[in-house]
Amino acid sequence: MKRILLLAILLPTFSFAQETKNDNTETSGLKPRFTISGNTTFSDPSQAGLSLEYKSKNLDSGRNSSNILNLSYGMMNYDNNIVDVDGTGFVIELGSRTYIEKGKWDGFYAENFISYGNIKFDETIGGLGKFDGTYSYWSIINPNVGYRFMIGKNVSIDPYVGANWKWEVKGKGDVDNKDVDNFVFRGGIKIGYSF
């Protein structure tokens, strides 16, 4: 399992490091160039939002690569054995995706993101009073592996699984980071339209 996770983390990094300008890139292979998707991820925090993929280049290896921006509404449960509250906020992710099969813009892929999440909690809990705080984190180890199914030329479905290793910012208010896991697994799906 550790080897698979390590491969998922390193594959997009090596692909990005090896890229060079390729003068024989066929522009027809890049049409349509953008994909906008509805995105949902089940993790901690869970996310629902929009994803924009930009087909950017063919790598020297012959594999295709794209850049991705995810803007999501974040939802998280905080449980410290005394209180159990739900918070909401946002998650922003910026990364790259490399398709495994040479020359294809579908099929298996690996991706990694730089992400930032900020979740606020503001809830009154019976006799305990008000619970108020903020949980936020940064992550540069945020790999996914998935498979893109194309339906026709423009519609795609991308199920994926991955992990997120979060570097937490010191909790504000009543939030204590020791009650939140730094390493979490994730899974989700994107349904997109290419243009």
Side-chain angles (χ1 to χ4, degrees), residues 33-74:
R33 192 152 204 161
F34 294 94
T35 301
I36 189 160
S37 306
N39 177 24
T40 184
T41 302
F42 302 98
S43 185
D44 193 18
S46 292
Q47 303 168 43
L50 290 176
S51 176
L52 178 65
E53 178 179 4
Y54 172 70
K55 292 180 182 177
S56 58
K57 58 193 77 85
N58 294 328
L59 304 176
D60 277 347
S61 65
R63 293 182 174 87
N64 291 329
S65 177
S66 59
N67 296 316
I68 299 177
L69 173 65
N70 296 330
L71 301 173
S72 302
Y73 177 75

Side-chain angles (χ1 to χ4, degrees), residues 144-188:
N144 293 331
V145 292
Y147 192 93
R148 173 181 248 174
F149 297 94
M150 292 302 297
I151 301 172
K153 185 178 178 181
N154 299 94
V155 177
S156 60
I157 299 175
D158 298 15
Y160 56 89
V161 295
N164 188 357
W165 184 9
K166 302 178 286 187
W167 284 289
E168 299 167 333
V169 177
K170 182 170 172 41
K172 294 181 182 173
D174 298 322
V175 173
D176 188 342
N177 291 351
K178 72 178 182 178
D179 298 310
V180 181
D181 291 330
N182 290 51
F183 183 81
V184 294
F185 290 102
R186 48 194 263 154

Side-chain angles (χ1 to χ4, degrees), residues 15-37:
S15 297
F16 181 76
Q18 296 171 357
E19 70 183 71
T20 61
K21 187 172 180 174
N22 185 352
D23 292 334
N24 350 350
T25 302
E26 294 182 22
T27 54
S28 62
L30 293 175
K31 305 268 188 211
R33 192 152 204 161
F34 294 94
T35 301
I36 189 160
S37 306

